[in-house]
Amino acid sequence: AYWFAAAAARHAAAQRMLGVCQILGRGVARDPVAGVASYRSAAERGDVQAMFNYAVRLRTGDGVAQDQVASLEWMRKAV
């Protein structure tokens, strides 16, 4: 319940962790699309780990359309 409330309040780390739960199906139904959306939201708020996670998903195309260029851009932001 904490992740949901904190993520709804736009807490970046909570959004990232919610994304992990959504992608893995831990405590919620597995939903890679929602998980990637949570990663992106956290990444846009400056969460470096979320930037990396989002970049990986863009590279693999799991839960989002594959986009190598955007993946590289997010990876660069993360480092």
Side-chain angles (χ1 to χ4, degrees):
Y2 166 76
W3 298 124
F4 296 110
R10 298 180 176 236
H11 187 275
Q15 289 177 317
R16 173 178 32 87
M17 291 307 299
L18 178 59
V20 170
C21 292
Q22 292 167 320
I23 285 171
L24 298 176
R26 302 282 166 93
V28 296
R30 185 177 186 282
D31 187 348
V33 174
V36 170
S38 293
Y39 282 165
R40 180 176 182 145
S41 186
E44 289 172 344
R45 285 176 178 69
D47 187 288
V48 175
Q49 185 63 48
M51 291 176 193
F52 176 81
N53 292 355
Y54 184 54
V56 169
R57 294 295 165 160
L58 285 167
R59 180 172 169 78
T60 63
D62 185 21
V64 66
Q66 194 173 32
D67 186 338
Q68 301 296 321
V69 173
S71 174
L72 183 58
E73 290 171 2
W74 279 104
M75 192 64 71
R76 286 181 176 152
K77 290 178 186 182
V79 294

